[in-house]
Amino acid sequence: MRRWIVTFIAIALCLTAGSAWVYFSNQKVLAQSFVLSNQVFRAEFSKGVSKDVLEKGEVYVTDDKNARIEADFQLKNNGKSLEISGLSNGKYTLHVDEKFSLGKSKYTFEVQESLPVVHSRGELEDYFKLVMSTRENVVTEETMEMSAAEDKSSGTADYSTTNNQVKGVEEADIVQTNGSHVFVISENKVVINNIENPSNMKQESKIQFTESFYPSQLLLKEELLLVIGQKNMYHTLEATDSAPRIDPDWESMTGVFLYDISNPKAPKLIRELASEGYTNGVRLKGNMLYIVSTIMPRYWAMEENDDMELRPFTYDSKTDKEAQPLDYEQISILPDSLDGNYTVITALNISEPLVNEVKTRSFLGGSQELYMSTESLFLTSAIYKNDEATTMSKRLWGPGQLDTMVYKFSIKDTIVDFVGSATLTGTILNQFSMDEHNGYFRTVTTTGNLWDQNNPSENNLFILDETMNMVGSITGLAKEERIYSARFMGDKAYMVTFRETDPLFVIDVANPTNPKVLGELKIPGFSNYLHPLGEKHLIGFGYETSSIVPVGSKEPIIQTEGMKISLFDVSDFDSPKEVDTEVIGGQGTYSPIQYDHHALFQHNEKNLYGFPVTIYEKEEGQEYSSYKQDGAFIYEITPEKGIVLKASLLNKDNQAQQYEEWGTMIHRLIYSNNSIFTIGMKEMKSYQLDTFKETGVLSY
């Protein structure tokens, strides 16, 4: 392992976070430094080469004994991509003939059966020194927002469940209910409210946390409540003599408190877990809890502080008195990653939360976005560009550029194993840009920039197999636009892009090796979030737009107006239609559903859909919109009737205010039996489900 890192350093003088550029006078190569034995080795050329280079032996591979090896060489992407398969475990060197450079160029890589682990502090120091050497003059691109989702999970109980991305994979939210009680995060406490009598709701108890912990998410599993948030903990360093030393700098940790709520009047803390870093995602599949956090250690200070711990810390109240660094054997280095971040994955079977063992693994490699199916966990890492690559007159990153690394992990009980990785053109914006179906990973990306004529934006769809090898793609969609939302539904993918109009693309992904665009719809506005309504309709939540010509200008600009709900008919895949719309308020109107799918209220049997909203409108004579009111709307949405407003649950007391009141603003809506409940940080209200008449108020 030590020799592997040293070799990596030796050839990494031009590394970016992802792979390494090897420079020739007229040609540039981006190649992998490590691949698993079940994967294909890839190298990217800045200019396409012909098959002659393989036939003439101008590009070839040798083993560690400098002998040429026989393998399956394939050129793809008009000669810009070289793929080599059939390599056994070992060390290899990619050779490029001097025809492409002033002298022969070589790139060393390894094929291994499994991901290498770290064995010592020295190996960690070597890794972080390499990271620091490649961080000079590194610039990043701004990440764009986008929304989409996968099927909502359904339950048999007559009360609300969280709007999850994947059926069978529970996501945490700020509110949970079991039908008789509502659990609400309110500042740094969790309030437990009894709603068995909606006209006489009462606060049954609360869980108060200290200033060192701030709850942000909840999960509920029968009589177990999980409170997730950020916890500040101090590091204890190894003793210099007879006493331990305390690191004066605290680190933020993702904390999970497990409470027995069999008696809601007296919740009982039974276990506490923490992993260093900020929360990237929490998922619950059956009884299996998975916690993913991301941390960047202060490696830049290691030369000044020889005692500084470079490993991430974890804590388990069952076994630890304080946070402890992970064992080196629990740390692996993800291939082709020089982000300098740790991804910490913690797993626990909560069927017996007091007894079962926590398993934690850490991976050196950043994780910006997270997607989890019932079988796999996917993490992404952005590939950064250095100043030299972005300021030259001829860009080094052309259409074949690699902008995102995707890492796949298998999940089975508490075992999380690395499966493989892939580099993809473009940027994966968030978890809803990703999907796994029948063993295939599907994703949409945006590459380029909206207003850059030299590198205009365009959009892509990629499909990878179980070992993360590319099997199908569509590139170059909606040039000079970017993705705002996407939805994968079985054999179809739906994608919304925008710049001046809102094209809704319908893409057939039934054949993973040959995806096809079936239809396209262009309408004003755009959708930030798409939600399925059966198999033939979609509901879009976004904004209306208008085109105006500013004073003194001849060119029109596009500006957002009120919030827009669209009902799309996609029964004819070749010709999708927007069959109904609803526009709420004016410019500035917003709802958390635009960026958080958990804010969507649903009652499937009654076809009801609701969401919190804050309304801004422009009064006569005003140049800009101003705050009017906040609250929530509930609609009945069906293919037959379209979008029908059923309830306007606005806070009437707020009409005289200039701004929304955070404590009484509605953040979530839920239902239980025959009642609907609106939930704010400090107030709950109940309404009859059939008449929407207010029946009770509870302040807490």
Side-chain angles (χ1 to χ4, degrees):
M1 175 64 185
R2 185 64 175 267
R3 286 179 296 175
W4 176 80
I5 292 182
V6 172
T7 301
F8 196 8
I9 294 174
I11 52 84
L13 296 178
C14 300
L15 264 177
T16 61
S19 295
W21 277 112
V22 179
Y23 292 91
F24 310 111
S25 58
N26 297 312
Q27 184 70 272
K28 294 163 285 292
V29 176
L30 181 62
Q32 294 175 292
S33 60
F34 168 88
V35 292
L36 292 178
S37 54
N38 62 349
Q39 288 196 289
V40 173
F41 170 81
R42 294 183 179 85
E44 299 288 333
F45 296 93
S46 61
K47 299 179 181 179
V49 297
S50 66
K51 292 182 179 179
D52 292 345
V53 301
L54 300 178
E55 296 171 356
K56 296 178 180 178
E58 295 168 335
V59 174
Y60 62 95
V61 171
T62 59
D63 60 19
D64 58 352
K65 297 179 181 179
N66 204 32
R68 292 199 184 194
I69 59 100
E70 296 293 331
D72 182 12
F73 291 75
Q74 291 189 15
L75 284 171
K76 297 184 177 181
N77 189 24
N78 296 321
K80 292 183 177 180
S81 299
L82 172 66
E83 295 186 356
I84 306 174
S85 57
L87 298 174
S88 57
N89 294 344
K91 295 182 179 180
Y92 299 90
T93 301
L94 173 68
H95 299 260
V96 179
D97 195 85
E98 56 188 16
K99 175 181 179 180
F100 300 104
S101 63
L102 298 177
K104 279 195 173 183
S105 297
K106 304 175 182 180
Y107 186 72
T108 303
F109 64 96
E110 287 193 53
V111 179
Q112 293 188 17
E113 190 70 31
S114 60
L115 203 61
V117 299
V118 173
H119 295 97
S120 68
R121 178 184 173 88
E123 290 182 357
L124 276 184
E125 289 179 345
D126 287 342
Y127 172 84
F128 287 120
K129 287 176 182 177
L130 176 57
V131 170
M132 286 191 291
S133 71
T134 61
R135 280 300 168 103
E136 297 179 2
N137 300 322
V138 171
V139 296
T140 64
E141 289 195 342
E142 182 180 358
T143 300
M144 298 176 287
E145 296 182 356
M146 121 180 190
S147 295
E150 186 45 79
D151 293 340
K152 170 191 177 294
S153 66
S154 59
T156 57
D158 193 19
Y159 55 83
S160 293
T161 56
T162 303
N163 181 27
N164 300 309
Q165 183 185 12
V166 176
K167 185 176 181 179
V169 179
E170 293 291 322
E171 299 180 26
D173 195 17
I174 59 175
V175 172
Q176 296 287 345
T177 184
N178 59 7
S180 62
H181 292 77
V182 173
F183 305 83
V184 186
I185 292 177
S186 177
E187 296 179 335
N188 70 328
K189 61 181 176 293
V190 175
V191 179
I192 302 176
N193 297 328
N194 188 317
I195 60 169
E196 291 176 306
N197 183 353
S199 61
N200 186 28
M201 300 178 292
K202 55 186 178 181
Q203 181 180 319
E204 201 126 81
S205 61
K206 67 179 179 180
I207 303 171
Q208 184 72 55
F209 295 96
T210 65
E211 293 181 356
S212 65
F213 179 76
Y214 197 89
S216 59
Q217 301 178 75
L218 303 173
L219 277 168
L220 186 61
K221 180 71 172 181
E222 298 172 352
E223 295 182 342
L224 185 67
L225 177 70
L226 290 78
V227 185
I228 304 106
Q230 294 303 130
K231 182 178 179 66
N232 299 329
M233 298 187 74
Y234 289 92
H235 290 171
T236 299
L237 303 178
E238 293 181 1
T240 53
D241 39 48
S242 59
R245 290 195 298 113
I246 303 296
D247 187 339
D249 295 323
W250 55 264
E251 292 291 352
S252 181
M253 304 188 76
T254 294
V256 181
F257 291 82
L258 290 78
Y259 284 89
D260 179 349
I261 55 162
S262 55
N263 179 6
K265 294 181 179 180
K268 181 181 178 182
L269 178 63
I270 58 176
R271 196 168 183 177
E272 178 188 350
L273 309 175
S275 56
E276 190 170 3
Y278 292 94
T279 309
N280 191 358
V282 180
R283 298 291 187 270
L284 183 63
K285 187 187 74 168
N287 287 318
M288 287 306 310
L289 173 68
Y290 300 94
I291 309 160
V292 182
S293 62
T294 302
I295 178 67
M296 177 177 286
R298 299 187 300 276
Y299 55 80
W300 52 86
M302 63 183 178
E303 293 182 357
E304 300 175 1
N305 185 355
D306 294 336
D307 295 324
M308 191 186 73
E309 182 57 72
L310 295 172
R311 293 171 291 173
F313 283 71
T314 62
Y315 172 75
D316 180 0
S317 62
K318 178 185 175 184
T319 57
D320 305 325
K321 292 183 179 180
E322 57 192 17
Q324 301 290 333
L326 282 176
D327 293 336
Y328 288 106
E329 288 72 19
Q330 293 174 278
I331 302 172
S332 299
I333 300 178
L334 291 172
D336 302 307
S337 176
L338 287 175
D339 276 0
N341 293 338
Y342 281 107
T343 294
V344 183
I345 304 177
T346 302
L348 171 67
N349 187 324
I350 63 171
S351 60
E352 296 184 65
L354 275 172
V355 177
N356 292 335
E357 182 182 1
V358 174
K359 294 291 183 69
T360 302
R361 288 194 66 185
S362 182
F363 301 89
L364 276 164
S367 56
Q368 279 81 35
E369 304 299 338
L370 178 153
Y371 165 79
M372 182 173 147
S373 68
T374 56
E375 305 294 332
S376 309
L377 173 69
F378 297 87
L379 300 173
T380 75
S381 178
I383 295 177
Y384 301 105
K385 305 175 183 179
N386 59 41
D387 284 339
E388 182 180 9
T390 56
T391 58
M392 292 180 64
S393 58
K394 291 186 177 180
R395 294 176 178 268
L396 303 186
W397 295 74
Q401 70 188 19
L402 307 176
D403 287 333
T404 301
M405 187 76 70
V406 182
Y407 300 103
K408 177 181 178 179
F409 303 84
S410 64
I411 48 174
K412 186 175 182 181
D413 299 327
T414 57
I415 305 301
V416 179
D417 284 329
F418 178 74
V419 174
S421 61
T423 45
L424 300 177
T425 301
T427 305
I428 294 178
L429 301 177
N430 57 33
Q431 69 181 78
F432 304 113
S433 305
M434 298 177 277
D435 173 80
E436 187 178 38
H437 181 68
N438 291 338
Y440 290 95
F441 174 71
R442 297 98 64 90
T443 184
V444 290
T445 72
T446 297
T447 187
N449 302 290
L450 281 176
W451 309 110
D452 188 345
Q453 295 182 352
N454 294 319
N455 185 30
S457 61
E458 57 183 35
N459 306 282
N460 318 290
L461 179 141
F462 299 110
I463 303 178
L464 293 86
D465 64 15
E466 292 181 346
T467 57
M468 297 299 284
N469 291 315
M470 184 86 67
V471 296
S473 65
I474 303 175
T475 59
L477 291 172
K479 295 182 183 297
E480 299 186 355
E481 298 180 357
R482 75 167 176 89
I483 297 170
Y484 273 67
S485 59
R487 189 96 196 194
F488 292 92
M489 295 168 55
D491 291 338
K492 298 294 183 293
Y494 302 93
M495 184 176 75
V496 169
T497 62
F498 180 75
R499 181 173 181 179
E500 294 182 357
T501 59
D502 174 358
L504 170 68
F505 289 93
V506 182
I507 305 174
D508 184 357
V509 289
N511 182 354
T513 62
N514 189 29
K516 296 179 180 178
V517 175
L518 299 180
E520 179 182 350
L521 168 67
K522 290 190 176 183
I523 54 175
F526 57 87
S527 297
N528 279 323
Y529 172 66
L530 294 174
H531 192 82
L533 182 64
E535 297 181 356
K536 298 181 179 180
H537 293 81
L538 288 168
I539 307 170
F541 298 92
Y543 287 104
E544 182 68 299
T545 59
S546 62
S547 175
I548 63 169
V549 179
V551 177
S553 174
K554 296 182 180 180
E555 296 295 326
I557 62 171
I558 304 300
Q559 68 178 19
T560 58
E561 299 294 345
M563 179 177 169
K564 181 181 180 182
I565 309 172
S566 299
L567 177 60
F568 299 106
D569 183 343
V570 292
S571 55
D572 182 352
F573 298 126
D574 296 330
S575 181
K577 295 180 176 62
E578 184 183 49
V579 293
D580 200 5
T581 63
E582 173 85 354
V583 178
I584 304 168
Q587 190 176 51
T589 298
Y590 68 91
S591 168
I593 197 176
Q594 301 278 10
Y595 55 85
D596 186 353
H597 62 295
H598 299 133
L600 180 65
F601 163 84
Q602 298 176 86
H603 193 299
N604 293 328
E605 290 184 3
K606 294 183 177 292
N607 302 307
L608 297 179
Y609 299 86
F611 48 85
V613 66
T614 299
I615 300 173
Y616 279 70
E617 288 185 349
K618 187 184 297 183
E619 301 291 342
E620 186 175 350
Q622 283 185 332
E623 184 177 357
Y624 301 104
S625 298
S626 58
Y627 168 80
K628 180 181 180 182
Q629 217 168 352
D630 62 68
F633 286 127
I634 297 177
Y635 291 86
E636 179 186 11
I637 304 179
T638 61
E640 297 78 19
K641 298 180 181 179
I643 304 169
V644 180
L645 179 64
K646 301 297 289 186
S648 176
L649 308 180
L650 296 175
N651 290 320
K652 299 177 182 178
D653 297 338
N654 292 0
Q655 287 180 295
Q657 297 176 186
Q658 287 187 315
Y659 303 100
E660 53 269 47
E661 173 60 43
W662 180 255
T664 58
M665 279 182 64
I666 296 172
H667 294 277
R668 294 292 186 268
L669 295 87
I670 65 169
Y671 78 89
S672 178
N673 297 317
N674 296 315
S675 295
I676 288 179
F677 302 87
T678 60
I679 303 169
M681 292 296 101
K682 296 183 178 180
E683 182 181 83
M684 278 183 58
K685 291 183 178 180
S686 60
Y687 300 83
Q688 291 180 355
L689 182 57
D690 294 331
T691 64
F692 303 102
K693 178 182 177 181
E694 184 178 317
T695 56
V697 179
L698 173 64
S699 298
Y700 41 87

